[in-house]
Amino acid sequence: MIKREVVILNRLGLHARPAAQFVKIAASSQSEVWVEKDGSRVNGKSIMGMMLMSAEQGTKILIEINGPDEKETWEKLYELITNRFYEDK
């Protein structure tokens, strides 16, 4: 199991497009993906759950991945988040 905290860096936060990108990676994984913010926990494969988190720029989220491809899934999600969902140029 991988359980790590990351900060949402992009200017507009976790709105529809970044949430969809996150879910696309999570959904393609064989592992379970969970995301926590302020005590609320949602399935990282759920677009509605991710959008309802309302994670603005600077928000810390906790990502938990458990399964056969957890390392690869973490690396893809971490790259996506640290590259600001490829939005800020």
Side-chain angles (χ1 to χ4, degrees), residues 15-26:
H15 60 89
R17 186 175 165 277
Q21 290 176 300
F22 187 103
V23 169
K24 184 177 179 180
I25 291 170

mmCIF file with all atom_site columns, all heavy atoms in Angstrom, residues 15-26:
data_model
loop_
_atom_site.group_PDB
_atom_site.id
_atom_site.type_symbol
_atom_site.label_atom_id
_atom_site.label_alt_id
_atom_site.label_comp_id
_atom_site.label_asym_id
_atom_site.label_entity_id
_atom_site.label_seq_id
_atom_site.pdbx_PDB_ins_code
_atom_site.Cartn_x
_atom_site.Cartn_y
_atom_site.Cartn_z
_atom_site.occupancy
_atom_site.B_iso_or_equiv
_atom_site.pdbx_formal_charge
_atom_site.auth_seq_id
_atom_site.auth_comp_id
_atom_site.auth_asym_id
_atom_site.auth_atom_id
_atom_site.pdbx_PDB_model_num
ATOM 1  N N   . HIS A 1 15 ? -10.607 21.193 -10.590 1.00 0.00 ? 15 HIS A N   1
ATOM 2  C CA  . HIS A 1 15 ? -11.896 21.410 -11.263 1.00 0.00 ? 15 HIS A CA  1
ATOM 3  C C   . HIS A 1 15 ? -12.140 20.252 -12.232 1.00 0.00 ? 15 HIS A C   1
ATOM 4  O O   . HIS A 1 15 ? -11.457 19.225 -12.169 1.00 0.00 ? 15 HIS A O   1
ATOM 5  C CB  . HIS A 1 15 ? -11.921 22.782 -11.954 1.00 0.00 ? 15 HIS A CB  1
ATOM 6  C CG  . HIS A 1 15 ? -10.871 22.968 -12.990 1.00 0.00 ? 15 HIS A CG  1
ATOM 7  N ND1 . HIS A 1 15 ? -11.075 22.628 -14.307 1.00 0.00 ? 15 HIS A ND1 1
ATOM 8  C CD2 . HIS A 1 15 ? -9.599  23.432 -12.915 1.00 0.00 ? 15 HIS A CD2 1
ATOM 9  C CE1 . HIS A 1 15 ? -9.978  22.896 -15.005 1.00 0.00 ? 15 HIS A CE1 1
ATOM 10 N NE2 . HIS A 1 15 ? -9.073  23.381 -14.178 1.00 0.00 ? 15 HIS A NE2 1
ATOM 11 N N   . ALA A 1 16 ? -13.098 20.371 -13.130 1.00 0.00 ? 16 ALA A N   1
ATOM 12 C CA  . ALA A 1 16 ? -13.547 19.250 -13.964 1.00 0.00 ? 16 ALA A CA  1
ATOM 13 C C   . ALA A 1 16 ? -12.429 18.598 -14.782 1.00 0.00 ? 16 ALA A C   1
ATOM 14 O O   . ALA A 1 16 ? -12.294 17.376 -14.785 1.00 0.00 ? 16 ALA A O   1
ATOM 15 C CB  . ALA A 1 16 ? -14.672 19.713 -14.890 1.00 0.00 ? 16 ALA A CB  1
ATOM 16 N N   . ARG A 1 17 ? -11.633 19.382 -15.483 1.00 0.00 ? 17 ARG A N   1
ATOM 17 C CA  . ARG A 1 17 ? -10.607 18.796 -16.348 1.00 0.00 ? 17 ARG A CA  1
ATOM 18 C C   . ARG A 1 17 ? -9.553  18.025 -15.565 1.00 0.00 ? 17 ARG A C   1
ATOM 19 O O   . ARG A 1 17 ? -9.262  16.871 -15.876 1.00 0.00 ? 17 ARG A O   1
ATOM 20 C CB  . ARG A 1 17 ? -9.974  19.884 -17.215 1.00 0.00 ? 17 ARG A CB  1
ATOM 21 C CG  . ARG A 1 17 ? -9.008  19.331 -18.237 1.00 0.00 ? 17 ARG A CG  1
ATOM 22 C CD  . ARG A 1 17 ? -8.486  20.471 -19.161 1.00 0.00 ? 17 ARG A CD  1
ATOM 23 N NE  . ARG A 1 17 ? -7.340  20.008 -19.883 1.00 0.00 ? 17 ARG A NE  1
ATOM 24 C CZ  . ARG A 1 17 ? -6.100  19.990 -19.426 1.00 0.00 ? 17 ARG A CZ  1
ATOM 25 N NH1 . ARG A 1 17 ? -5.840  20.424 -18.214 1.00 0.00 ? 17 ARG A NH1 1
ATOM 26 N NH2 . ARG A 1 17 ? -5.102  19.550 -20.157 1.00 0.00 ? 17 ARG A NH2 1
ATOM 27 N N   . PRO A 1 18 ? -8.931  18.622 -14.521 1.00 0.00 ? 18 PRO A N   1
ATOM 28 C CA  . PRO A 1 18 ? -7.950  17.861 -13.741 1.00 0.00 ? 18 PRO A CA  1
ATOM 29 C C   . PRO A 1 18 ? -8.565  16.642 -13.050 1.00 0.00 ? 18 PRO A C   1
ATOM 30 O O   . PRO A 1 18 ? -7.926  15.596 -12.969 1.00 0.00 ? 18 PRO A O   1
ATOM 31 C CB  . PRO A 1 18 ? -7.436  18.866 -12.710 1.00 0.00 ? 18 PRO A CB  1
ATOM 32 C CG  . PRO A 1 18 ? -7.711  20.187 -13.286 1.00 0.00 ? 18 PRO A CG  1
ATOM 33 C CD  . PRO A 1 18 ? -8.963  20.020 -14.109 1.00 0.00 ? 18 PRO A CD  1
ATOM 34 N N   . ALA A 1 19 ? -9.798  16.772 -12.581 1.00 0.00 ? 19 ALA A N   1
ATOM 35 C CA  . ALA A 1 19 ? -10.457 15.629 -11.939 1.00 0.00 ? 19 ALA A CA  1
ATOM 36 C C   . ALA A 1 19 ? -10.614 14.491 -12.944 1.00 0.00 ? 19 ALA A C   1
ATOM 37 O O   . ALA A 1 19 ? -10.381 13.320 -12.622 1.00 0.00 ? 19 ALA A O   1
ATOM 38 C CB  . ALA A 1 19 ? -11.815 16.037 -11.371 1.00 0.00 ? 19 ALA A CB  1
ATOM 39 N N   . ALA A 1 20 ? -10.977 14.828 -14.179 1.00 0.00 ? 20 ALA A N   1
ATOM 40 C CA  . ALA A 1 20 ? -11.131 13.815 -15.222 1.00 0.00 ? 20 ALA A CA  1
ATOM 41 C C   . ALA A 1 20 ? -9.797  13.152 -15.547 1.00 0.00 ? 20 ALA A C   1
ATOM 42 O O   . ALA A 1 20 ? -9.742  11.935 -15.762 1.00 0.00 ? 20 ALA A O   1
ATOM 43 C CB  . ALA A 1 20 ? -11.740 14.436 -16.478 1.00 0.00 ? 20 ALA A CB  1
ATOM 44 N N   . GLN A 1 21 ? -8.727  13.940 -15.578 1.00 0.00 ? 21 GLN A N   1
ATOM 45 C CA  . GLN A 1 21 ? -7.402  13.373 -15.839 1.00 0.00 ? 21 GLN A CA  1
ATOM 46 C C   . GLN A 1 21 ? -6.999  12.416 -14.719 1.00 0.00 ? 21 GLN A C   1
ATOM 47 O O   . GLN A 1 21 ? -6.458  11.337 -14.979 1.00 0.00 ? 21 GLN A O   1
ATOM 48 C CB  . GLN A 1 21 ? -6.362  14.487 -15.949 1.00 0.00 ? 21 GLN A CB  1
ATOM 49 C CG  . GLN A 1 21 ? -6.492  15.330 -17.185 1.00 0.00 ? 21 GLN A CG  1
ATOM 50 C CD  . GLN A 1 21 ? -5.497  16.466 -17.155 1.00 0.00 ? 21 GLN A CD  1
ATOM 51 O OE1 . GLN A 1 21 ? -5.516  17.305 -16.247 1.00 0.00 ? 21 GLN A OE1 1
ATOM 52 N NE2 . GLN A 1 21 ? -4.612  16.499 -18.131 1.00 0.00 ? 21 GLN A NE2 1
ATOM 53 N N   . PHE A 1 22 ? -7.233  12.812 -13.492 1.00 0.00 ? 22 PHE A N   1
ATOM 54 C CA  . PHE A 1 22 ? -6.909  11.979 -12.335 1.00 0.00 ? 22 PHE A CA  1
ATOM 55 C C   . PHE A 1 22 ? -7.688  10.665 -12.405 1.00 0.00 ? 22 PHE A C   1
ATOM 56 O O   . PHE A 1 22 ? -7.127  9.581  -12.265 1.00 0.00 ? 22 PHE A O   1
ATOM 57 C CB  . PHE A 1 22 ? -7.248  12.732 -11.044 1.00 0.00 ? 22 PHE A CB  1
ATOM 58 C CG  . PHE A 1 22 ? -6.808  12.036 -9.787  1.00 0.00 ? 22 PHE A CG  1
ATOM 59 C CD1 . PHE A 1 22 ? -5.681  12.461 -9.118  1.00 0.00 ? 22 PHE A CD1 1
ATOM 60 C CD2 . PHE A 1 22 ? -7.527  10.965 -9.274  1.00 0.00 ? 22 PHE A CD2 1
ATOM 61 C CE1 . PHE A 1 22 ? -5.264  11.826 -7.953  1.00 0.00 ? 22 PHE A CE1 1
ATOM 62 C CE2 . PHE A 1 22 ? -7.127  10.315 -8.110  1.00 0.00 ? 22 PHE A CE2 1
ATOM 63 C CZ  . PHE A 1 22 ? -5.988  10.751 -7.451  1.00 0.00 ? 22 PHE A CZ  1
ATOM 64 N N   . VAL A 1 23 ? -8.998  10.768 -12.644 1.00 0.00 ? 23 VAL A N   1
ATOM 65 C CA  . VAL A 1 23 ? -9.864  9.588  -12.688 1.00 0.00 ? 23 VAL A CA  1
ATOM 66 C C   . VAL A 1 23 ? -9.471  8.669  -13.836 1.00 0.00 ? 23 VAL A C   1
ATOM 67 O O   . VAL A 1 23 ? -9.507  7.448  -13.694 1.00 0.00 ? 23 VAL A O   1
ATOM 68 C CB  . VAL A 1 23 ? -11.350 10.008 -12.776 1.00 0.00 ? 23 VAL A CB  1
ATOM 69 C CG1 . VAL A 1 23 ? -12.246 8.821  -13.100 1.00 0.00 ? 23 VAL A CG1 1
ATOM 70 C CG2 . VAL A 1 23 ? -11.777 10.662 -11.471 1.00 0.00 ? 23 VAL A CG2 1
ATOM 71 N N   . LYS A 1 24 ? -9.066  9.228  -14.957 1.00 0.00 ? 24 LYS A N   1
ATOM 72 C CA  . LYS A 1 24 ? -8.654  8.403  -16.102 1.00 0.00 ? 24 LYS A CA  1
ATOM 73 C C   . LYS A 1 24 ? -7.477  7.508  -15.717 1.00 0.00 ? 24 LYS A C   1
ATOM 74 O O   . LYS A 1 24 ? -7.463  6.323  -16.036 1.00 0.00 ? 24 LYS A O   1
ATOM 75 C CB  . LYS A 1 24 ? -8.284  9.292  -17.285 1.00 0.00 ? 24 LYS A CB  1
ATOM 76 C CG  . LYS A 1 24 ? -7.937  8.523  -18.532 1.00 0.00 ? 24 LYS A CG  1
ATOM 77 C CD  . LYS A 1 24 ? -7.644  9.449  -19.692 1.00 0.00 ? 24 LYS A CD  1
ATOM 78 C CE  . LYS A 1 24 ? -7.282  8.647  -20.934 1.00 0.00 ? 24 LYS A CE  1
ATOM 79 N NZ  . LYS A 1 24 ? -6.990  9.513  -22.064 1.00 0.00 ? 24 LYS A NZ  1
ATOM 80 N N   . ILE A 1 25 ? -6.501  8.073  -15.017 1.00 0.00 ? 25 ILE A N   1
ATOM 81 C CA  . ILE A 1 25 ? -5.345  7.289  -14.571 1.00 0.00 ? 25 ILE A CA  1
ATOM 82 C C   . ILE A 1 25 ? -5.775  6.268  -13.529 1.00 0.00 ? 25 ILE A C   1
ATOM 83 O O   . ILE A 1 25 ? -5.428  5.093  -13.611 1.00 0.00 ? 25 ILE A O   1
ATOM 84 C CB  . ILE A 1 25 ? -4.243  8.212  -14.016 1.00 0.00 ? 25 ILE A CB  1
ATOM 85 C CG1 . ILE A 1 25 ? -3.635  9.040  -15.142 1.00 0.00 ? 25 ILE A CG1 1
ATOM 86 C CG2 . ILE A 1 25 ? -3.161  7.394  -13.297 1.00 0.00 ? 25 ILE A CG2 1
ATOM 87 C CD1 . ILE A 1 25 ? -2.708  10.150 -14.693 1.00 0.00 ? 25 ILE A CD1 1
ATOM 88 N N   . ALA A 1 26 ? -6.547  6.715  -12.547 1.00 0.00 ? 26 ALA A N   1
ATOM 89 C CA  . ALA A 1 26 ? -6.988  5.815  -11.473 1.00 0.00 ? 26 ALA A CA  1
ATOM 90 C C   . ALA A 1 26 ? -7.837  4.671  -12.017 1.00 0.00 ? 26 ALA A C   1
ATOM 91 O O   . ALA A 1 26 ? -7.664  3.519  -11.618 1.00 0.00 ? 26 ALA A O   1
ATOM 92 C CB  . ALA A 1 26 ? -7.762  6.604  -10.413 1.00 0.00 ? 26 ALA A CB  1
#
